């Protein structure tokens, strides 16, 4: 008995050694059972089972061959059925492949089946084997001999029978037929679905489709098979899995189409091509043959999508409807500036993430002009979700514009590299590092961008929702050395849900003048969440040379993502500028803005005539807070405009303190203008300042202003008062009650005392004003001296206060009395206005006689 065991062990070792010498180590199964709808399976079914022992039979399934440079690999599956009541030991059963040339090669289990040792009672078990059959390329004449361990037989092996493959045996599933098989131990039904041929960029591409239905109860994941396209002449091309299919998953009972891609020669005959699958056995470093499918006749689909038509793209089993719309173009220097929108709708029942696409505008002659696809690639569409992707392109004007197409190209990565040491498919042409594969050619309708008219309402759909919009006004007015051009656009939510606006930026172009770098966009932050029917007011402004003229204005709004500009809304207009609204004398200007509403009225305007070539125009405005809460009022900016059309920048002074509800602030403006310029009908171009995308606050340096109106001013001349009672120098009122001037006999100094009341008007909040009170004292000789006083400091607030000063001259020693005059001036920026004057008696005090004698 011991000798039997030793002999059996020696037989096993010799079998494995022969198998290893034949080119194998250990394998991985590709598939199991074949459907009777498969011609190969039908032929195999005619091969009678072999009786291996009491109640144990073996049948052959799925005999496949794969041509490789290190020797062709034949794989076959044996189905052992045990009808007995005890388990059967597979170590007693051996199979050997007999080639037409007479070579006998022991079969070795692939790695995945190497540990299958027994067949349970009343059970069946499939084991896949492989052999290296050298240069044999056909299955015709191949036999599989079955042997059983028998210590009484010669060589200890008894031949139980032979599987002789019929002459009509084919290992390829016929076109239109299905294969019932297993992937990852999950039952599936597989069938070749389509073969499409595309031409792009001077190359030819093949796209093979395979239908898979998961018949199991678990999710089927991509098993990692390698796919090849095999021509009728035997030329082999490695296929790349479509980018949307990579790592695919198929739910139980779900049917999904999987697509494979390859570049092929233009001269290749595409008749009778087949789709061949293999699987890498990593332990063996060997590519094992799997199922193959005869592909249907090749077709060349028409990828051109008509104007407004819908193109369906299948992604992960979901149909994505795509449509190009809202195309328009305008001339921009030497280019045609195109804008259009790609609308995508997921009509399926699960979320889909788009792969990486390449977009370009293609001319009739085939020249492609790139279009950024960053906003498209990688986005996720929920079931029934619609997304709109705005796109732009620049096409040279010499290109014919009415025959353009938007081409959508899918970039497919290379199929996985074969593992080191793999023999690989003999003569197989591997996929390129990157396959650029056409998906669709959308016809771009030639539509000139509409000339938008002010006040009319238009509709648009954006990635952020559907809106109506209207151009409300276009203004032009001075700013520093330039002019500001500002367009006001109203944007209204036309949907029944609240829409979220992105952080918008603006760009303006006037004819061929691009001022994007100086363009600013202003919109209330609260408008970023726009309720149904609500409107956002948007201001887009830019600075241009004041002498620049233009006919057409192009307005663009966009947002940014990953440093990419994403268009939001673009419009063009040749409408004329709006006249600056005029406000009559005594009227009020309204500041509009959430939390910034205020009313502005002129308090007074005064002209400081000056002694040189210039005079100063000075204006005080009363600004009333119209909010119901304390508010920091918008910083006002202004320019004086003369009847001659000249503009002078006005310097502002405005309190930074918040104003109470209904509270008022005094805001001042002034400018120095030539003395020869008439000021009787001067007006003030007035508006709230902005910084970037918001209204500026007091104390901030504005970069522009908006909503400008012309406030007609009423300059007032100041008539000097004939006394010093109730002298107004805002915010103070000064009343000189009396003045005592005294000189002592023989002295050269006149001492003067002012008795006064000083009251401060706190009705209005104001910035510290740069006014000075100049006190001019004219002595009895008509000569004057001046004192510059600061109200509230040199002269203190309150009643019955005194201020003492003195003036000295040698002439005063001769005085014996007389009068002196006090004149008060308002001095501002070095220029003066007389407020009032009054003369007072100078008292003379003689020295006592004794004092005179001493002198």
């Amino acid at each position: 008995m011991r000798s039997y065991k030793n002999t059996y062990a020696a037989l096993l070792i010799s079998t494995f050694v022969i198998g290893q010498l034949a080119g194998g180590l250990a394998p991985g199964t590709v598939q199991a059972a074949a459907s009777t709808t498969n011609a190969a399976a039908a032929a195999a079914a005619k091969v009678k089972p072999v009786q291996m022992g009491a109640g144990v039979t073996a049948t052959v399934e799925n005999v496949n061959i794969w041509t490789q440079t290190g020797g062709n690999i034949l794989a076959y599956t044996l189905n052992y059925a045990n009808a007995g009541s005890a388990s059967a030991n597979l170590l007693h059963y051996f199979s050997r492949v007999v080639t037409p040339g007479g070579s006998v090669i022991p079969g070795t289990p692939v790695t995945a089946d190497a540990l299958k040792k027994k067949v349970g009672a009343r059970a069946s078990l499939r084991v896949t084997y492989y052999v290296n059959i050298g240069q044999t390329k056909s299955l015709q004449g191949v036999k599989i001999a079955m042997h059983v361990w028998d210590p009484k037989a010669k060589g200890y092996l008894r031949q139980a029978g032979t599987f002789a493959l019929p002459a009509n045996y084919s290992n390829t599933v016929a076109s239109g037929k299905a294969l019932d098989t297993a992937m990852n131990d999950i039952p599936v039904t597989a069938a070749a679905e389509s073969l499409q041929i595309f031409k792009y960029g001077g190359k030819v591409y093949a796209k093979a489709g395979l239908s898979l239905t998961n018949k199991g109860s678990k999710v089927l994941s991509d098993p990692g098979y390698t796919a090849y396209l095999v021509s009728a002449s035997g030329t082999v091309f490695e296929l790349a899995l479509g980018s949307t299919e990579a790592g695919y998953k198929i739910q139980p009972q779900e049917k999904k189409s999987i697509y494979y891609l390859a570049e092929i020669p233009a001269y290749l005959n595409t008749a009778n091509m087949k789709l061949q699958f293999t699987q890498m056995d990593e332990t063996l470093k060997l590519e094992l043959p799997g199922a193959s499918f005869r592909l249907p006749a090749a077709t060349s689909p028409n990828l051109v999508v008509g104007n407004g038509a819908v193109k369906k793209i299948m992604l992960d089993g979901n149909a994505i409807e795509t449509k190009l719309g809202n195309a328009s173009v305008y001339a921009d220097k030497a280019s045609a500036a195109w804008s259009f929108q790609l609308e995508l709708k997921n009509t399926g029942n699960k979320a889909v993430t788009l792969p990486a696409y390449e977009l370009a505008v293609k001319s009739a002659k085939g020249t492609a002009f790139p279009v950024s696809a960053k906003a498209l690639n990688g986005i996720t569409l929920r079931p029934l979700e619609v997304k709109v992707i705005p796109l732009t392109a620049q096409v040279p004007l010499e290109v014919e514009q009415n025959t353009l197409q938007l081409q959508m190209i899918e970039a497919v990565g290379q199929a996985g590299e074969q593992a080191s040491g793999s023999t690989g498919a003999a003569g197989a042409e591997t996929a390129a590092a990157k396959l650029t594969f056409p998906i669709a050619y959308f016809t771009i309708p030639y539509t000139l961008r509409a000339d938008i008219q002010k006040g009319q309402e238009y509709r648009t759909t954006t990635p952020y929702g559907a809106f109506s919009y209207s151009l409300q006004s276009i203004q032009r007015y001075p700013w520093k050395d330039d002019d500001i051009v500002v367009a006001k656009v109203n944007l209204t939510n036309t949907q029944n849900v609240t829409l979220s606006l992105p952080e918008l930026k603006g760009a303006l172009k006037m004819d061929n003048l691009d001022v994007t770098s100086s363009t600013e966009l202003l919109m209330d932050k609260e408008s970023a969440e726009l309720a149904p029917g609500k409107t956002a007011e948007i201001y887009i402004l830019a600075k241009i040379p004041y002498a620049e003229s233009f006919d057409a204005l192009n307005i663009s709004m966009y947002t940014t993502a990953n440093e990419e500009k994403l268009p939001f809304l673009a419009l063009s207009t040749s409408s004329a500028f709006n006249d600056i609204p005029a406000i009559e004398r005594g009227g009020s200007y309204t500041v509009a803005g959430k939390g910034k509403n205020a009313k502005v009225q002129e308090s007074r305007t005064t002209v400081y005539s000056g002694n040189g070539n210039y005079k100063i125009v000075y204006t005080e405005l009363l600004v009333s807070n119209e909010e119901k809460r304390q508010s920091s009022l918008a910083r006002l900016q202004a320019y004086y405009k003369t009847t001659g059309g000249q503009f002078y920048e006005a310097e502002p002074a405005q309190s930074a303190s918040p104003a109470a509800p209904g509270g008022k602030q005094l805001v001042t403006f002034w400018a120095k203008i030539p003395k020869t310029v008439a000021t009787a009908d001067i007006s003030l171009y007035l508006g709230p300042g902005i910084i970037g995308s918001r209204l500026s606050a007091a104390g901030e340096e504005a970069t522009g202003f908006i909503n400008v109106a012309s406030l007609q001013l009423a300059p007032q001349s100041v008539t000097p008062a004939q006394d010093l009672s109730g002298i107004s120098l805002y915010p103070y009122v000064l009343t000189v009650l009396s003045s005592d001037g005294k000189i002592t006999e023989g002295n050269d100094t006149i001492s003067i005392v002012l008795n006064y009341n000083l009251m401060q008007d706190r009705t209005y909040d104001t910035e510290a004003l740069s006014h000075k009170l100049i006190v001019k004292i004219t002595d009895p000789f008509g000569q004057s001296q001046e004192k510059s006083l600061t109200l509230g400091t040199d002269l203190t607030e309150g009643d019955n206060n005194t201020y003492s000063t003195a003036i000295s001259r040698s002439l005063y020693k001769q005085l014996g009395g007389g009068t002196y005059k006090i004149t008060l001036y308002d001095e501002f920026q070095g220029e003066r206005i007389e407020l009032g004057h009054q003369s007072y008696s100078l008292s003379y005090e003689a020295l006592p006689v004794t004092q005179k004698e001493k002198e």
Side-chain angles (χ1 to χ4, degrees), residues 184-208:
N184 296 346
D185 293 325
I186 297 174
V188 299
T189 297
E193 195 172 67
S194 61
L195 175 62
Q196 295 177 323
I197 305 299
F198 303 93
K199 295 181 180 180
Y200 172 70
K203 297 181 179 180
V204 179
Y205 298 94
K207 181 178 183 180

Side-chain angles (χ1 to χ4, degrees), residues 600-612:
V600 182
Q601 287 183 301
E602 179 189 16
S603 175
R604 72 183 180 102
T605 297
T606 303
V607 178
Y608 293 76
S609 297
N611 295 317

Side-chain angles (χ1 to χ4, degrees), residues 718-732:
V718 178
T719 301
Q722 300 303 307
D723 58 33
L724 301 183
S725 176
I727 300 298
S728 177
L729 186 60
Y730 191 84
Y732 294 96

